[in-house]
Amino acid sequence: MDWLHWLFYVGVILGAVPVMVMAFIWLERRGLGRLQLRPGPNRAGPFGILQPVADAIKVLTKEDIVPVAGDHWVHFVAPLVVFAPAMLVFTVIPFQEDGGLVRGLVPDLNIGILYIVAVSSISTIGVFMAAWGSNNKYSLISAFRSMAQVVSYEIPLALAILGVVLAAGTMSLTGIVQAQAVPFIVMQPLGFIIFFIAATAELNRTPFDLMEAESEMVAGYHIEYSGMKFALFYLAEYAYTVGISAIAATLFLGGWKAPWGVGPQVGVLWLVVKILLVFMVILWIRGTFPRVRVDQLMGFAWKFLFPLSLINIFIIAAESLAWPGLPWWLLFPNTAIALVLVVVWSGLFRLGGGRVQV
Amino acid sequence: MDYWAGYGSIALFLLVALIFGLITIILPKVLKLLGLVVRKPNAVKYTTYECGMETIGPSWVQFNFRYYIFALLFLVFDVLVVFLYPWAVSLRGGGWAAFTAMAVFIAVLLTGFLYAWKKGALEWR
């Protein structure tokens, strides 16, 4: 093992991710402010750009409150269990390629995407530990909802990623990026839609933020956390958002590649631009959609996303057997199939209806 | 990079990430010794937060049965996903025979899924 290589990329990941998280928090608060016709944070520094720094200092000097009724050790360990998997996602993201050499910590891990699917669901256990350790009813309801939600959306997410694996013929993220002569978002629009919705639900972001529904359960699973432990949850949540954006950029938007090969050939720059693009769409959705109800949430995953993702993988499998090279003109039938399926399938089932218990 | 070096890098990174998180949690405790972080204990402050109400009964209770059905469904189809990943990688080698085999396998599982749907297991009520 090359120690210098390891040390460099660990430094890059541990340095870049918190910086990107701070930038994204600022971007989200400003952008959400714009979407809601208010200025957003604009006091600390020019355009409020120092707001995340001010928040960090505030949270650092806050009193740490641990409820006496809770389980202290579980309460202490939970932020770590949430935080570590969120960072682990970045280990296999390829940053750029120069001269046939792909840069990243372990970009050519042969089961790259399966590793990401496996690792990213560990943080749910941390969420549950946080709720259990707090011994708070709101927290516990939030954690149960989170469990049910993550468990339900895990299947469509993994199946949507499977379409990419089928087309690329490999699970290595480097191989997937290299297989994208045409980005997979154009080749598999249905897969991307399913992936994006399921990923938003996995991130517990609006419109799927039932576990943090302020009007129902105050703050959800981290209601009993304050100070730096709360900050770690917040950091993990945004790091995971960056991570999912990076995965979406790598799987569907062509990763480090410059679009049409034009522009500066600095891969990491394009990767950051694409991550930013995906993040802005997530932010846009947050500013636009109302929160769904819990029965609609579960029904949507099982009745809409799951059957469509199965159909999607069979379409991609049949295409990759009939035309092994997957020529670019397949994007026309695929787009047509995606449109028809989404419209037709939406009429096939009902979501909820009537009064429900939560 | 060879096979084990990749996983070794990830394992060491996990360790670094855990230490990073641990330092973040320990840091306020160090600052408290320097007097930068306040600590004013108060019996009410350390009670469970419930919007001002006093907590009635324990929170560690039996949970709603509906979660169990979804967990069961998840288990079935997550195993399916685990089978699908190696199939997806080797599909071009397996050809249409592999395609048909997996179609039959999924059809069997889908029968169970349709049964659960018709039985109303997917309704949250």
Side-chain angles (χ1 to χ4, degrees):
Chain A
M1 193 159 95
D2 190 352
W3 286 103
L4 211 61
H5 171 268
W6 182 80
L7 210 62
F8 177 72
Y9 283 105
V10 168
V12 165
I13 293 171
L14 284 184
V17 171
V19 169
M20 280 186 90
V21 164
M22 282 170 117
F24 278 18
I25 287 173
W26 177 80
L27 204 65
E28 168 144 23
R29 294 183 64 181
R30 290 288 291 191
L32 210 57
R34 284 280 164 226
L35 286 168
Q36 295 170 350
L37 301 179
R38 60 187 171 84
N42 62 354
R43 286 284 172 255
F47 305 107
I49 207 157
L50 294 177
Q51 190 65 40
V53 181
D55 285 344
I57 293 169
K58 180 207 137 190
V59 97
L60 190 64
T61 53
K62 225 169 141 70
E63 184 179 354
D64 184 28
I65 300 170
V66 182
V68 279
D71 191 332
H72 294 244
W73 279 108
V74 180
H75 189 270
F76 183 85
V77 173
L80 293 177
V81 180
V82 176
F83 174 73
M87 297 302 280
L88 274 180
V89 168
F90 294 94
T91 51
V92 292
I93 305 281
F95 297 139
Q96 65 175 328
E97 181 185 34
D98 19 57
L101 191 67
V102 180
R103 307 279 184 185
L105 185 62
V106 198
D108 49 359
L109 192 74
N110 54 0
I111 55 156
I113 192 62
L114 189 63
Y115 159 84
I116 285 180
V117 172
V119 156
S120 59
S121 35
I122 294 175
S123 45
T124 319
I125 299 170
V127 167
F128 198 78
M129 283 169 74
W132 193 262
S134 307
N135 192 2
N136 183 314
K137 293 191 184 80
Y138 289 124
S139 295
L140 214 58
I141 294 171
S142 154
F144 281 137
R145 282 184 180 185
S146 159
M147 279 286 201
Q149 183 177 331
V150 169
V151 146
S152 296
Y153 282 84
E154 186 80 31
I155 310 279
L157 184 80
L159 287 176
I161 291 172
L162 202 76
V164 173
V165 176
L166 273 167
T170 172
M171 280 192 261
S172 146
L173 286 174
T174 305
I176 287 172
V177 175
Q178 280 162 350
Q180 293 179 61
V182 182
F184 284 147
I185 184 176
V186 186
M187 296 296 284
Q188 308 180 10
L190 185 60
F192 180 74
I193 293 168
I194 294 165
F195 173 83
F196 197 78
I197 295 173
T200 318
E202 290 271 298
L203 290 169
N204 296 308
R205 291 184 67 92
T206 326
F208 304 106
D209 63 340
L210 279 158
M211 61 190 275
E212 288 172 25
E214 288 91 349
S215 49
E216 295 167 30
M217 42 188 48
V218 195
Y221 64 95
H222 51 51
I223 189 169
E224 293 287 6
Y225 280 86
S226 68
M228 225 40 204
K229 286 179 189 161
F230 170 74
L232 214 55
F233 276 120
Y234 208 65
L235 182 62
E237 196 183 313
Y238 274 87
Y240 194 32
T241 312
V242 178
I244 285 280
S245 306
I247 294 163
T250 309
L251 292 183
F252 288 100
L253 301 180
W256 70 73
K257 286 183 179 169
W260 294 286
V262 293
Q265 298 297 313
V266 186
V268 69
L269 196 73
W270 283 112
L271 187 65
V272 170
V273 167
K274 285 167 183 175
I275 290 173
L276 210 60
L277 204 69
V278 178
F279 181 78
M280 292 312 277
V281 177
I282 295 177
L283 169 58
W284 182 22
I285 289 173
R286 176 174 174 183
T288 318
F289 282 86
R291 184 182 300 134
V292 297
R293 241 174 22 214
V294 68
D295 57 327
Q296 295 170 334
L297 177 87
M298 306 303 281
F300 187 65
W302 287 103
K303 294 176 184 173
F304 185 79
L305 293 180
F306 173 64
L308 282 198
S309 58
L310 272 182
I311 295 172
N312 179 50
I313 62 164
F314 274 105
I315 293 168
I316 304 292
E319 280 175 356
S320 59
L321 279 177
W323 300 280
L326 287 176
W328 64 269
W329 52 260
L330 278 174
L331 70 96
F332 299 118
N334 281 353
T335 312
I337 290 170
L339 282 173
V340 170
L341 269 179
V342 168
V343 171
V344 169
W345 205 275
S346 310
L348 282 183
F349 65 95
R350 275 173 57 91
L351 280 184
R355 195 181 153 81
V356 286
Q357 295 175 339
V358 178
Chain B
M1 195 178 286
D2 69 88
Y3 188 77
W4 288 110
Y7 290 103
S9 299
I10 290 171
L12 282 176
F13 181 84
L14 172 64
L15 210 64
V16 172
L18 283 175
I19 291 169
F20 184 89
L22 206 61
I23 289 171
T24 321
I25 296 183
I26 303 282
L27 199 64
K29 294 191 192 304
V30 177
L31 289 178
K32 193 155 69 191
L33 296 177
L34 297 174
L36 285 170
V37 178
V38 289
R39 180 178 159 80
K40 290 179 182 161
N42 174 339
V44 178
K45 194 187 273 180
Y46 294 103
T47 53
T48 306
Y49 176 78
E50 251 174 52
C51 304
M53 305 282 200
E54 279 181 31
T55 314
I56 299 171
S59 304
W60 295 329
V61 290
Q62 284 185 324
F63 57 88
N64 199 319
F65 184 73
R66 282 181 294 235
Y67 295 106
Y68 173 75
I69 295 168
F70 285 106
L72 214 59
L73 275 174
F74 166 72
L75 203 63
V76 172
F77 290 105
D78 212 34
V79 172
L80 165 73
V81 169
V82 170
F83 279 125
L84 277 172
Y85 269 89
W87 170 77
V89 173
S90 58
L91 179 71
R92 286 193 179 83
W96 287 103
F99 183 88
T100 319
M102 192 46 84
V104 171
F105 178 56
I106 287 178
V108 172
L109 280 181
L110 271 186
T111 319
F113 176 72
L114 286 177
Y115 174 74
W117 190 338
K118 283 281 162 267
K119 201 77 179 162
L122 303 181
E123 307 297 330
W124 187 276
R125 60 179 80 245

